[in-house]
Amino acid sequence: MLATRLCTMRKLPSVLARTLTSGTSGSSVLPDMSEGHLPIHVNNVRSRLRDIVGASTNWRDHVQAMQERKALHTLLAKRQEDLPPRRMKDSYLEVILPLGSQPEIREKYLNVHNSVRFGRILEDLDSLGVLICYTHTKQEMQPRSPLSIVTALVDKINLCKKIIYPDCDIKFTGNVSWVGRTSMEVKMHMLQLHDGDYSPVLDATFVMVARDPENKRPAFVNPLVPETPEEEEIFKQGELNKLKRIDFSTASLLKMAPTAEERNIVHDIFLNTLDTRTVSFRSRKLPPNSVWMEDAKLKGLQICHPQERNIFNRIFGGFLMRKAFELGWATACSYGGSRPFIVSVDDIMFQRPVEVGSLLLLSGQVCYTEKNYIQVRVHSEVYDADTREHQTTNIFHFTFMSENEVPRVVPKTYGESMLYLDGKRHFAAIMKEI
């Protein structure tokens, strides 16, 4: 287990002081790729991305900038075999967030509890993941990349620290760990400086996809060649992660009926909420220390302004994650009655892009609880005022830990029961890794 260093806090619960692995490989030793790499300041990551794709910093010029990218179609590879293979260390990057040595940038990251806003960290991870992939696919003779690389999935983000301190420098590291034909898995790690040493804070696995210059069709990316047995294991784990995602999607409760055990759980909940004074299926009674699921939700609305656009002039995925996390945190806080701490983020699927000017509707729902853990699902959708249609853009899953034991959330309808079982599945998967 990692020795977690807390500047002035009490010792963490053992559930958070867990092994920080390279993704889910189970290996506690990460390959050293830092030799010869100079750290990048966090403020320079987005500017580097704009330079790579030729994005304009002026919103009024975005149409012209996107038109200019059309000419880059001729630079796309027609086969993956035409692209030179890359090593894991070719895409390795280090980024410094100098909260301790540069106090002037601290306020952007500060929350009311005098710790770092995790939503801001999500934004930085998303930008870094994209830059790592562009580093993997960089062609020396091409000043601008013909690829449009976007986040497809946040597979998981697991934390091993309860508090991220606002006055200690942070270092992000990461590299491409697995490659398909048009997709790349990126593993990133965040460390914070304490007593002269960097100690781990979180471990993240993102999946990025490459598309053509207009972001319309898939595009091939450079193959990845592991060099050591350790890298071979990391690459194999990336392939296993892909298969696990397929299996999890196949077994989705939106496609398949619950298992026999899950059906029994739902029926037991139903029986425990029947009003024994009546002989009716409709008369329900809330058990002690419980909350109806319909009363455990919060909603929010966000107008998507140009300020929050990415290099392809759609809304930045990190911004969406930050807003979803903050609503999820507020949902857990209001439900548990005390400050919640994020334990894990998993299975964030970016189903469709969010256009600038969209009305973004967010709905946070407590869908499962156990002891002092709260599983929150945040659903995001865009509303088109012209067509009056709603379209889902993302589903976010957050696992929080409250300071005190929380009431049991109880579903009433069949749809809520499916949310409950889905939340239970996500929570069980997280606990299995701890």
Side-chain angles (χ1 to χ4, degrees), residues 105-389:
I105 69 173
R106 196 177 295 166
E107 187 166 331
K108 174 183 175 182
Y109 288 85
L110 191 65
N111 65 27
V112 70
H113 300 288
N114 197 35
S115 60
V116 170
R117 295 169 63 185
F118 186 68
R120 292 294 188 192
I121 299 300
L122 291 175
E123 290 183 325
D124 291 339
L125 286 171
D126 192 47
S127 295
L128 175 58
V130 175
L131 183 58
I132 287 171
C133 289
Y134 273 117
T135 304
H136 173 84
T137 58
K138 181 180 179 181
Q139 307 295 332
E140 294 299 331
M141 303 302 294
Q142 297 175 1
R144 290 184 179 176
S145 175
L147 299 177
S148 299
I149 297 177
V150 295
T151 306
L153 172 73
V154 178
D155 189 44
K156 64 191 65 179
I157 303 174
N158 291 335
L159 287 87
C160 60
K161 288 286 183 72
K162 188 177 181 181
I163 300 291
I164 305 174
Y165 296 97
D167 54 356
C168 300
D169 285 359
I170 287 173
K171 178 168 68 174
F172 299 95
T173 67
N175 61 276
V176 172
S177 55
W178 174 87
V179 168
R181 295 181 67 79
T182 62
S183 60
M184 293 163 281
E185 181 189 86
V186 178
K187 290 195 182 301
M188 292 173 284
H189 312 281
M190 176 177 147
L191 307 95
Q192 188 157 37
L193 187 65
H194 295 298
D195 302 325
D197 293 322
Y198 278 102
S199 57
V201 176
L202 66 78
D203 173 36
T205 304
F206 282 44
V207 177
M208 310 290 185
V209 293
R211 303 177 69 80
D212 67 15
E214 297 178 82
N215 199 8
K216 293 182 178 179
R217 296 180 180 84
F220 294 115
V221 297
N222 301 67
L224 183 65
V225 179
E227 291 187 299
T228 65
E230 186 179 25
E231 291 183 359
E232 287 276 3
E233 191 63 31
I234 293 173
F235 189 88
K236 288 178 183 177
Q237 186 61 50
E239 190 65 36
L240 288 175
N241 289 342
K242 176 186 176 182
L243 296 175
K244 286 179 183 177
R245 289 191 290 268
I246 294 173
D247 290 342
F248 202 85
S249 176
T250 302
S252 168
L253 292 166
L254 293 172
K255 302 176 183 177
M256 300 285 290
T259 65
E261 179 184 359
E262 289 173 332
R263 291 196 294 271
N264 288 335
I265 290 172
V266 170
H267 193 64
D268 286 344
I269 292 174
F270 173 72
L271 294 178
N272 289 335
T273 57
L274 283 178
D275 190 343
T276 56
R277 296 172 300 177
T278 65
V279 187
S280 171
F281 288 114
R282 294 184 178 182
S283 183
R284 308 287 291 277
K285 184 178 180 181
L286 187 65
N289 194 33
S290 300
V291 176
W292 290 120
M293 187 177 284
E294 64 184 5
D295 298 325
K297 65 176 68 174
L298 289 178
K299 294 189 176 183
L301 168 66
Q302 188 72 35
I303 302 174
C304 298
H305 296 290
Q307 179 186 5
E308 310 301 343
R309 72 190 188 278
N310 62 16
I311 53 178
F312 303 114
N313 292 295
R314 284 169 167 154
I315 296 302
F316 173 43
F319 170 78
L320 300 176
M321 286 193 282
R322 173 164 66 88
K323 287 299 178 181
F325 167 77
E326 290 174 350
L327 179 64
W329 185 92
T331 304
C333 183
S334 63
Y335 184 87
S338 63
R339 177 187 177 186
F341 296 90
I342 184 67
V343 175
S344 184
V345 181
D346 79 302
D347 197 26
I348 299 177
M349 180 71 74
F350 289 81
Q351 299 183 17
R352 55 172 44 89
V354 177
E355 302 293 341
V356 172
S358 298
L359 294 179
L360 182 69
L361 307 176
L362 297 164
S363 178
Q365 173 73 68
V366 175
C367 52
Y368 182 75
T369 57
E370 187 172 312
K371 297 180 181 178
N372 61 331
Y373 289 100
I374 306 172
Q375 189 71 32
V376 178
R377 179 183 189 267
V378 177
H379 176 268
S380 73
E381 60 183 3
V382 289
Y383 173 69
D384 190 319
D386 295 328
T387 63
R388 297 180 180 270
E389 292 181 347

Side-chain angles (χ1 to χ4, degrees), residues 32-33 37 87-93 175 227 231:
D32 184 8
M33 303 180 188
H37 288 82
R87 302 166 298 177
M88 288 190 185
K89 63 184 179 183
D90 290 335
S91 61
Y92 177 84
L93 291 178
N175 61 276
E227 291 187 299
E231 291 183 359

